[in-house]
């Protein structure tokens, strides 16, 4: 599968390496390709392009940019995201610093970043995923207690099936939290996940949903 990853940060680079290691073709998208020269050199066949080239390249697109500019980047990606699964890893983190280790969001509990993006880009099949774990545990996470759980949501069942397949390949159990509105709950998992990091410098945990 060809995967176009919009972004040049830790998430984009980590998922890019993960997709490559699982046999997919990968292009990372950025305004500044020189930023990624080291990543390209150390990757096995990774490519770099503009946001528009990267979206056009991908059969699946990953959105891995700062939440505040996610809509700008989707605009720059243009028609390349139309009709495609777009895995949205972004979180709506505000500029203000955390309060006692609790991140501040620029959204409210009655709205979410992914709903905003889905409204503005109705042709993109947005699926929230990978937003509630640190980049280092996104691909093939290893825990004594078994597979951790990735919470996903989105309006398109077929897109969620495709993302669930990718998550399974990457070593995750999947919990489907429903339509795009589910992002009102899934995005704040990032706030919860970061608290042990800010308060106790613990950044290696992941969530697991126990069922009976
Ligand atoms: N880091 C983690 O462990 C982690 C874990 C889960 C979720 N997330 C979420 O995943 C997303 C990516 O995180 P990250 O840490 O990899 O990277 P990041 O530093 O949050 O974002 C870097 C990306 O944002 C783009 N960007 C920044 N300002 C821009 C602007 N004005 N216009 C266009 N693009 C702009 C950059 O584009 P250029 O390449 O053009 O500079 C770059 O590709 C974030 O939303 C984050 O909250 C992160």
């Amino acid at each position: 599968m060809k995967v176009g990853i919009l972004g040049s940060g830790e998430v984009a680079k980590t998922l890019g390496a993960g997709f490559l290691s699982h046999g997919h073709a990968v292009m990372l998208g950025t305004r500044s390709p020189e930023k990624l020269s080291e990543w390209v050199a150390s990757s096995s066949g990774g490519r770099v392009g503009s946001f528009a080239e990267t979206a056009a390249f991908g059969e699946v697109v990953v959105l891995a940019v700062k939440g505040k500019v996610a809509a700008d980047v989707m605009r720059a990606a243009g028609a390349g995201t139309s009709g495609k699964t777009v895995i949205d890893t972004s979180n709506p983190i505000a500029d203000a610093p955390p309060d006692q280790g609790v991140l501040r969001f620029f959204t409210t509990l009655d709205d979410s970043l992914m709903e905003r993006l889905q409204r503005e880009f109705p042709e993109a099949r947005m699926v929230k995923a990978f937003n509630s774990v640190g980049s280092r545990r996104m691909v093939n996470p290893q825990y004594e207690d078994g597979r951790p759980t990735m919470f996903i949501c989105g309006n398109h069942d077929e897109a969620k099936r495709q993302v669930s397949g990718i998550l399974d390949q990457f070593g995750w159990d999947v919990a489907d939290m429903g339509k795009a509105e589910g992002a009102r709950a899934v995005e704040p998992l990032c706030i919860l996940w970061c608290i042990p990091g800010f308060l106790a410098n613990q950044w290696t945990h992941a969530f697991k949903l126990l069922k009976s």
Side-chain angles (χ1 to χ4, degrees):
M1 189 168 69
K2 288 157 87 179
V3 184
I5 304 182
L6 304 169
S8 63
E10 287 312 312
V11 174
K13 289 190 282 192
T14 303
L15 290 180
F19 278 109
L20 284 168
S21 74
H22 285 288
H24 303 287
V26 172
M27 182 182 285
L28 262 53
T30 175
R31 295 164 301 171
S32 316
E34 67 281 0
K35 268 188 193 175
L36 289 165
S37 50
E38 213 172 290
W39 181 85
V40 170
S42 65
S43 78
S44 44
R47 299 162 224 214
V48 175
S50 67
F51 289 133
E53 287 164 345
T54 300
F57 171 84
E59 293 162 307
V60 166
V61 176
V62 179
L63 179 62
V65 297
K66 253 184 213 341
K68 280 192 82 173
V69 301
D72 296 333
V73 171
M74 285 289 287
R75 277 177 219 128
T81 60
S82 258
K84 294 178 189 169
T85 298
V86 177
I87 304 177
D88 175 19
T89 72
S90 66
N91 283 309
I93 298 172
D95 288 334
D99 189 3
Q100 300 296 338
V102 180
L103 281 172
R104 294 168 196 269
F105 271 15
F106 58 77
T107 48
T108 69
L109 285 175
D110 297 324
D111 191 18
S112 62
L113 178 56
M114 196 181 78
E115 286 171 274
R116 292 183 189 183
L117 295 172
Q118 188 64 91
R119 276 194 296 272
E120 183 172 344
F121 307 98
E123 303 303 326
R125 301 178 170 194
M126 311 282 313
V127 179
K128 198 93 209 172
F130 291 112
N131 72 301
S132 61
V133 70
S135 58
R136 289 184 190 176
R137 293 293 185 280
M138 286 180 177
V139 182
N140 305 332
Q142 301 294 326
Y143 291 98
E144 280 178 13
D145 294 327
R147 285 182 165 220
T149 307
M150 186 60 71
F151 295 85
I152 69 167
C153 62
N155 289 340
H156 298 268
D157 289 341
E158 183 47 42
K160 284 195 287 190
R161 264 193 292 281
Q162 193 173 26
V163 175
S164 298
I166 292 165
L167 284 164
D168 180 55
Q169 192 172 38
F170 281 23
W172 289 88
D173 282 346
V174 177
D176 183 349
M177 295 293 112
K179 301 291 183 191
E181 287 77 3
R184 298 175 199 178
V186 176
E187 288 174 359
L189 289 177
C190 152
I191 301 179
L192 187 64
W193 186 86
C194 284
I195 291 174
F198 289 125
L199 296 186
N201 202 26
Q202 290 168 10
W203 300 100
T204 56
H205 47 287
F207 295 123
K208 186 167 181 67
L209 186 63
L210 302 177
K211 298 178 196 169
S212 64

